[in-house]
Amino acid sequence: FADYVRGSFSGGGDIPRMPPLRYGMQLSWEDMVWTTQIRMTRAERQNKVGLNESKTNGYWLLNASANYRQKITDNGNIMYFVKANNLLNEDIRSSVSFLRDIAPEAGRGVEIGVRVEF
């Protein structure tokens, strides 16, 4: 996957809070009870920033997840899941965020949970 946006005002100057070039890949595997995925994303530096905005560095983002679904009734399921986010513990300052200079995106994290559907 990839995405790129470039914007500037007709009178000159860059549009604020524009995302940089991003690209990556995701591998997924799924069957009747298991779903797994691993996703690597690269975001390049954002040098073309709006007036009074700061530039942002590029980063690598690695996320992974696994879900196990167990049927409990005809209409109900229990899903056990684990998600790992920002496994490389990168300092991510999103160019689209108003708070990029104050607060980065979350660092390395893991979520473990159970979800009941009925």
Side-chain angles (χ1 to χ4, degrees):
F1 61 88
D3 59 38
Y4 178 69
V5 178
R6 175 72 180 109
S8 59
F9 293 110
S10 58
D14 294 306
I15 294 177
R17 293 186 316 282
M18 294 294 285
L21 168 65
R22 294 182 305 167
Y23 52 91
M25 63 184 267
Q26 176 174 311
L27 299 173
S28 301
W29 180 79
E30 185 173 338
D31 69 9
M32 295 299 287
V33 295
W34 283 99
T35 303
T36 61
Q37 70 178 29
I38 186 164
R39 180 180 178 115
M40 176 67 87
T41 304
R42 171 66 183 167
E44 296 295 336
R45 292 178 47 91
Q46 180 53 284
N47 295 324
K48 296 173 174 57
V49 297
L51 186 63
N52 298 321
E53 287 190 330
S54 57
K55 298 177 181 181
T56 58
N57 292 327
Y59 61 85
W60 288 97
L61 179 60
L62 178 61
N63 296 334
S65 67
N67 303 326
Y68 177 79
R69 186 177 305 268
Q70 181 179 14
K71 187 173 181 124
I72 54 175
T73 67
D74 286 341
N75 297 328
N77 296 302
I78 296 177
M79 184 173 67
Y80 306 94
F81 63 89
V82 61
K83 296 178 183 179
N85 302 307
N86 195 3
L87 287 168
L88 303 174
N89 203 30
E90 290 274 325
D91 180 28
I92 298 174
R93 306 274 178 167
S94 177
S95 64
V96 299
S97 172
F98 285 105
L99 302 175
R100 69 175 161 260
D101 294 326
I102 300 166
E105 300 290 324
R108 183 180 300 125
V110 176
E111 299 174 42
I112 298 172
V114 177
R115 182 171 139 186
V116 178
E117 301 169 338
F118 54 93

